[in-house]
Amino acid sequence: MADRLGNSLSGGAPAPDVDVAIIGAGISGISMAAHMQAICPDRTYAMIERREALGGTWDLFRYPGVRSDSDMHTLGFVFEPWKHEKSIADGPSILDYLNRIVDERGIRPHIRFRTTVLSADWNGATAQWELVVEQPGAERRRITARLLYLGSGYYDYDNPHDAQFPGREDFKGDVIHPQFWPEGYDYSGKRVVVIGSGATAATMVPAMTDRADHVTMLQRTPTWYAARPARDAIANTLRKFLPEKLAYTITRFKNVRMQDFIFKQARTKPEKVKEFLTKQAKQELGDKYDAAAFTPPYNPWEQRLCLIPDGDLFKAIKAGKADIVTDHIDRFDATGIQLKSGKHLDADTIITATGLKLAIAGKIAVSVNGAPVDFSERFYYKGCMFSNVPNLAVVFGYLNASWTLRADINADYICRLLNHMKARNAVVAMPVLPDDHRLPEDNIFDFSSGYIQRGMHLMPKSAQAMPWRLNQDYVRDRVWLKNDPIEDGIMRLGGPAAAVTAEPALEAAE
Ligand SMILES: Cc1cc2nc3c(=O)[nH]c(=O)nc-3n(C[C@H](O)[C@H](O)[C@H](O)COP(=O)(O)OP(=O)(O)OC[C@H]3O[C@@H](n4cnc5c(N)ncnc54)[C@H](O)[C@@H]3O)c2cc1C
């Protein structure tokens, strides 16, 4: 028997290769694997990763000084304490943390490295996802899975945002994008210009003052910066007296609340927050403070508030090793950058920290019974599934808090869903939104960050109210995802068991 979506309700189809195909071995994929092992250990999974190593973002980005820009007590997993002294951590420490978790929990043998998922088609007749995967130098293969879990991140791994500066080919020095940092690149004694003012630029500028002759941050628009100690004194004190896990839980809770408080203050009392940040910059910079360089034309947290650990960027500027120029690029020329103001920036190396290019679903061509799924036409369901798409989950982390907070609650929810499906003898789970798909929408992406604005047309829809929404409120989402019943009248299950309500509900879809 099959419903109108073609979903098999008879259970007679052959078993899939794995119960869950997890795409990506970054933070999101690892969180899901660890949750599966803890919560539904009897279900099988494969983690499919296009790169040769795990870590995703933290393996790809290798530029000088690469580090987190949120604290590791919330960027770390709920299940594994962050034990380093520094809370704002460098890329290699984050990679160590991820590798240790994967090895200690026996996750590595489940990872299929150097394997890119090209397409995923939901076959309703077998109630399985059929993935086409590719490995270098090998024939394309098919892998089947009951549920597809997209931990594939949010940006294009092959192509960063190309700001297309005129005259680029005239420049005689090196032009580097931080996404593709050349291993061992020697910038000793060079005059470096970093274009951009976001987290990447703010990280690289002070880091490169170690060897460069001088580093200039060239920005079109300033960013709000907040200086904060890289070491969390409370966390480190708690660790001395309390068991590691308890100390971590308390610090994580503290930081979640603090992040939430600061974000809400910025949204409700922007003038107060601006005043605070401006005062801090003035104190740190003294006579090097330049109002034009540190006064963005938007409010704090309309774009991600940029963290400056131990005020390193301010220190580099104060020491005269770095500076910030606020101007527009006219063109690159042989010796540097000609600015629209008429000034010229001499450079040996230009770094284009101009941002990422958004990519949805790891650029996988997703379809349901052969019909392409356009994610921009779908609503988020509980921030982790999509309207009328069966057995598919995703992680799109918070814009106003650490990514892992979302990765952990989504993984926990999907594992509970898997257990619930098993208990109900169901093979299909689909949040059903009746035909019209015309819920009042809310722009949760009212973030003016470039990569969000450039990718808006690709983003799934978000309604004004839960559950059809990608909320930006971890504290509430966590309670919601944990406590709201799986069968909430929207999530419909289908499968061999006669008791499930799948058929009429699934008929309502599409
Ligand atoms: C430089 C930088 C610093 C950041 N700092 C922070 C921070 O401090 N705090 C914070 O909260 N967030 C930060 N972020 C956001 C960051 O990306 C997330 O924190 C997090 O690492 C994302 O994890 P992920 O597993 O979802 O995605 P990713 O880390 O992007 O991993 C996705 C994985 O999926 C794989 N993949 C993708 N498509 C396919 C496919 N079709 N087939 C097979 N494999 C595929 C990729 O190869 C990759 O390994 C930062 C981002 C960048 C770029």
Side-chain angles (χ1 to χ4, degrees):
M1 182 174 65
D3 72 351
R4 279 212 213 140
L5 245 190
N7 293 318
S8 165
L9 302 178
S10 65
D17 297 329
V18 285
D19 292 318
V20 180
I22 302 173
I23 315 305
I27 284 181
S28 302
I30 295 169
S31 173
M32 181 58 182
H35 276 85
M36 279 193 72
Q37 295 193 178
I39 301 173
C40 38
D42 57 339
R43 249 52 56 79
T44 59
Y45 71 90
M47 200 189 272
I48 307 173
E49 169 54 59
R50 51 176 277 174
R51 298 170 57 75
E52 292 176 7
L54 59 82
T57 298
W58 303 104
D59 183 56
L60 176 72
F61 281 85
R62 301 285 177 155
Y63 56 75
V66 59
R67 59 158 171 84
S68 67
D69 62 353
S70 60
D71 71 278
M72 287 307 298
H73 298 92
T74 55
L75 190 59
F77 299 108
V78 66
F79 52 82
E80 183 66 35
W82 175 256
K83 296 178 191 161
H84 289 251
E85 207 203 346
K86 274 193 175 180
S87 167
I88 305 302
D90 57 55
S93 318
I94 300 173
L95 262 187
D96 282 352
Y97 172 77
L98 297 176
N99 273 290
R100 181 168 57 77
I101 288 167
V102 161
D103 287 328
E104 284 177 1
R105 288 163 197 262
I107 293 171
R108 198 176 295 272
H110 297 269
I111 309 179
R112 303 184 191 182
F113 288 108
R114 303 177 80 218
T115 308
T116 304
V117 182
L118 301 174
S119 64
D121 182 45
W122 172 258
N123 180 341
T126 57
Q128 293 176 12
W129 285 99
E130 293 175 1
L131 275 51
V132 175
V133 304
E134 189 174 57
Q135 285 180 313
E139 295 259 301
R140 288 182 179 178
R141 283 187 305 120
R142 219 178 63 118
I143 297 175
T144 55
R146 189 68 81 200
L147 185 133
L148 185 60
Y149 193 89
L150 297 171
S152 43
Y154 63 101
Y155 59 85
D156 191 324
Y157 269 68
D158 306 303
N159 307 296
H161 168 58
D162 182 1
Q164 297 199 327
F165 299 113
R168 194 177 164 132
E169 56 297 337
D170 299 335
F171 181 57
K172 298 280 181 249
D174 300 313
V175 181
I176 303 173
H177 193 285
Q179 192 163 326
F180 304 113
W181 189 258
E183 198 182 338
Y185 181 75
D186 187 11
Y187 52 89
S188 306
K190 295 198 184 211
R191 293 163 302 171
V192 178
V193 175
V194 180
I195 303 172
S197 63
T200 300
T203 301
M204 295 181 88
V205 168
M208 293 182 77
T209 57
D210 63 343
R211 278 183 276 149
D213 174 56
H214 187 81
V215 188
T216 297
M217 177 191 278
L218 171 58
Q219 61 178 14
R220 193 171 49 185
T221 316
T223 293
W224 286 111
Y225 298 119
R228 194 176 140 187
R231 287 171 183 75
D232 183 329
I234 296 177
N236 289 333
T237 307
L238 288 176
R239 288 183 59 220
K240 282 187 194 146
F241 300 106
L242 296 176
E244 199 74 66
K245 184 94 202 202
L246 180 61
Y248 181 62
T249 306
I250 295 172
T251 308
R252 194 173 158 95
F253 177 79
K254 164 183 82 70
N255 290 1
V256 162
R257 292 289 172 174
M258 203 171 75
Q259 262 171 9
D260 189 49
F261 173 75
I262 294 170
F263 177 75
K264 285 182 179 149
Q265 284 286 107
R267 284 290 162 110
T268 54
K269 297 177 188 144
E271 293 308 322
K272 244 179 128 172
V273 177
K274 278 185 194 173
E275 200 182 306
F276 173 81
L277 296 174
T278 305
K279 198 169 153 200
Q280 190 183 55
K282 281 182 181 164
Q283 266 168 2
E284 297 261 354
L285 287 160
D287 61 356
K288 289 276 172 58
Y289 177 79
D290 165 15
F294 294 99
T295 317
Y298 56 84
N299 289 334
W301 269 121
E302 271 174 31
Q303 295 186 15
R304 216 174 153 104
L305 181 64
C306 197
L307 192 70
I308 305 298
D310 296 329
D312 61 359
L313 175 65
F314 296 138
K315 283 183 183 137
I317 295 171
K318 198 159 184 204
K321 295 178 181 174
D323 63 351
I324 299 185
V325 171
T326 310
D327 211 318
H328 284 66
I329 294 173
D330 181 37
R331 59 180 297 112
F332 288 11
D333 60 21
T335 56
I337 302 176
Q338 183 60 51
L339 300 171
K340 289 216 166 123
S341 65
K343 277 194 219 144
H344 188 270
L345 284 180
D346 295 338
D348 303 305
T349 300
I350 297 175
I351 295 164
T352 52
T354 46
L356 305 164
K357 187 172 160 202
L358 210 77
I360 302 293
K363 300 197 283 183
I364 300 166
V366 178
S367 52
V368 171
N369 296 321
V373 172
D374 177 353
F375 285 102
S376 69
E377 293 294 315
R378 308 284 168 156
F379 276 90
Y380 273 104
Y381 170 75
K382 291 186 174 170
C384 75
M385 292 178 81
F386 294 109
S387 51
N388 302 357
V389 183
N391 291 23
L392 182 139
V394 70
V395 178
F396 190 92
Y398 289 105
L399 298 168
N400 60 356
S402 286
W403 187 275
T404 314
L405 297 171
R406 167 68 76 186
D408 281 342
I409 55 173
N410 282 14
D412 180 76
Y413 172 78
I414 294 298
C415 287
R416 289 192 306 107
L417 172 66
L418 288 168
N419 282 350
H420 190 83
M421 288 166 74
K422 191 176 177 199
R424 297 293 303 268
N425 204 15
V427 290
V428 186
M430 183 166 78
V432 174
L433 183 60
D435 289 338
D436 60 11
H437 261 68
R438 283 199 207 102
L439 297 174
E441 282 180 55
D442 188 12
N443 180 15
I444 39 121
F445 299 108
D446 58 344
F447 272 69
S448 49
S449 302
Y451 74 95
I452 294 285
Q453 292 305 319
R454 289 191 298 269
M456 277 295 275
H457 62 290
L458 300 171
M459 301 300 276
K461 292 174 194 275
S462 194
Q464 287 171 4
M466 283 294 256
W468 299 112
R469 178 176 171 78
L470 181 73
N471 235 7
Q472 296 294 321
D473 189 341
Y474 167 71
V475 177
R476 288 173 69 181
D477 292 348
R478 183 170 170 271
V479 175
W480 181 279
L481 281 187
K482 269 244 181 266
N483 299 346
D484 197 49
I486 299 276
E487 286 188 67
D488 56 356
I490 292 167
M491 174 66 78
R492 300 304 163 95
L493 305 181
V500 293
T501 53
E503 198 161 358
L506 291 175
E507 275 185 5
E510 306 291 331

